[in-house]
Amino acid sequence: MPPVGRSVHVRVPATSANLGPGFDTLGLALSLYDELDVTVSSTPGVRVEVHGVGEDGSVATDGSNLVAAVILDVLARKGAQVPGLDLVANNSIPHGRGLGSSGAAIVAGIMAARGLLDGLVELPSSELLAIATDFEGHPDNVAPALFGGLTIAWLEPTGPQYKKLNVHRGVSPVVFVPAHTVPTKLARSLQPANVPHEDAVFNVSRSALLIAALIQSPELLLAATEDKLHQNYRAAAMPDTDALVHLLRRAGFPAVVSGAGPSVLVLCERPADRLRAAELVAAEPGAEWRALMLAVDFKGATVVTRDLG
C-alpha cells in the first residue's frame, strides 16, 4: 500500500492523432502540458482541485473525475489501496478540441499510480500502454502522450504495440484552436463502414510518405499529409475547420484536422513558416482561431515521487 503522505508530480503532453492519412495509427506529442499533483491522504475519499482548463466546473472534483478513477483502477489492478487521495490538476490542454485531452487525463492517472507504487510494484511500459488503451479504446493518442515524439501504434492479439520515432528538428507545429468543440463520438460516427479501394491505397501511400517526411524529409509534408479516409467525411460536422484546412493547403501549408477536430494542425517545414501561417489565418474575415506555436515533445509523460521525511 502506498504510504500516507506520498506524493507524485505528473506532466503529460498534448497530442495530435491521425496527422492526415495515419488514421487511428499515427500520433505526435506536442509541447502543451497538463500537470498533476497527487498525495495519499489519511482522510477517506477523493478530492480534486482544478486550475486552468476545467476550473469552470466542467471537470468533476470527486471520485468520478477521470484522472482519479484511473488512479484507483490501476491501484486496484495491483492489489493496492489508499485511504484517500488529494489531487491538484493544472490543465492547459483544451477539452474537446482534438488535442488528446482525454488521453492525457488517462495517462496522467496511470503515471500517478505508477509513481504512487514506486518501489512497491513494477508497471512496465507495455502494461502502461495496455491499460491506457483499455480506457481510451485505441492507442493513437495515449502512445505519444506516454512516450513522446512520433508514434506508430497498432494492435496485436497480445495487446497494443507502439514504435517511437524521432522527428526531424526542422518540423515546427502550429495548432489553430477554435472556441467551439466537436464531440469525438460525433466525428467518429460520420465514418463509413467501408471505403473505396483506391482511397485505401491512396492513404497507405501517404502514410508511408508521412513517416519519411517527418523523420527525414520535411519538404514532402504537403503531399504526405493528404488524406481520403476520414477528413472529408467529417467536414459537415466542422465546416469552419474544413475551410481552414483547405485555405492553408492552397497556400502551401501542410494542414490537417488535429485528431477528431475541430482544431487544425499545421506541420511546418521550418519555424518561420508558422508565423506566415498564423498571419494568413488572422487575415481571414471573422477569424476566431487561437494560434499555438508548439514544439514536438520528445519525453512524453513524466512522474516524480516524493515521500514525507
Side-chain angles (χ1 to χ4, degrees):
M1 179 182 294
V4 170
R6 171 167 285 191
S7 67
V8 297
H9 179 77
V10 176
R11 190 173 189 242
V12 184
T15 57
S16 183
N18 303 326
L19 311 181
F23 183 62
D24 278 3
T25 301
L26 300 181
L28 189 68
L30 300 170
S31 61
L32 180 67
Y33 302 93
D34 282 354
E35 301 197 38
L36 175 72
D37 291 286
V38 182
T39 304
V40 179
S41 171
S42 58
T43 304
V46 175
R47 294 154 295 278
V48 184
E49 185 179 317
V50 179
H51 302 279
V53 179
E55 68 180 4
D56 58 358
S58 59
V59 172
T61 56
D62 56 16
S64 66
N65 177 279
L66 177 57
V67 178
V70 172
I71 294 173
L72 294 174
D73 179 89
V74 176
L75 293 178
R77 290 178 191 234
K78 295 301 177 181
Q81 294 181 332
V82 290
L85 288 175
D86 291 318
L87 284 71
V88 179
N90 290 280
N91 299 332
S92 297
I93 303 172
H95 292 173
R97 305 302 203 286
L99 287 170
S101 60
S102 65
I106 290 164
V107 168
I110 291 170
M111 293 299 290
R114 186 188 212 185
L116 293 175
L117 293 169
D118 184 44
L120 304 172
V121 178
E122 289 296 318
L123 271 172
S125 296
S126 59
E127 190 169 0
L128 297 179
L129 182 60
I131 296 172
T133 303
D134 281 349
F135 276 97
E136 182 75 344
H138 43 87
D140 55 334
N141 273 120
V142 293
L146 278 167
F147 309 116
L150 168 67
T151 58
I152 308 169
W154 69 98
L155 297 174
E156 296 274 8
T158 54
Q161 308 292 322
Y162 81 100
K163 173 65 179 176
K164 175 181 175 179
L165 299 171
N166 290 322
V167 177
H168 189 285
R169 62 183 180 181
V171 175
S172 304
V174 55
V175 180
F176 294 99
V177 183
H180 64 278
T181 65
V182 172
T184 300
K185 286 185 178 180
L186 171 61
R188 295 188 76 88
S189 71
L190 299 173
Q191 295 295 124
N194 299 289
V195 297
H197 178 270
E198 58 267 29
D199 289 355
V201 172
F202 181 95
N203 269 59
V204 169
S205 69
R206 294 311 192 274
S207 294
L209 182 61
L210 182 54
I211 298 298
L214 284 169
I215 68 175
Q216 183 177 333
S217 306
E219 70 275 7
L220 298 174
L221 280 167
L222 184 60
T225 49
E226 292 180 302
D227 160 71
K228 289 190 177 181
L229 282 190
H230 67 103
Q231 294 184 143
N232 289 341
Y233 298 111
R234 295 174 170 181
M238 45 185 119
D240 292 343
T241 296
D242 184 61
L244 185 62
V245 168
H246 282 89
L247 172 73
L248 287 161
R249 293 190 70 84
R250 284 194 301 269
F253 295 104
V256 298
V257 178
S258 181
S263 295
V264 173
L265 169 71
V266 184
L267 294 168
C268 294
E269 183 181 340
R270 58 186 69 87
D273 292 346
R274 299 185 300 182
L275 297 175
R276 294 196 299 110
E279 289 170 357
L280 175 64
V281 173
E284 280 296 289
E288 295 184 357
W289 299 87
R290 180 164 59 109
L292 300 178
M293 307 285 180
L294 304 175
V296 176
D297 172 273
F298 293 102
K299 292 182 67 175
T302 59
V303 59
V304 177
T305 303
R306 301 183 182 90
D307 285 315
L308 283 177

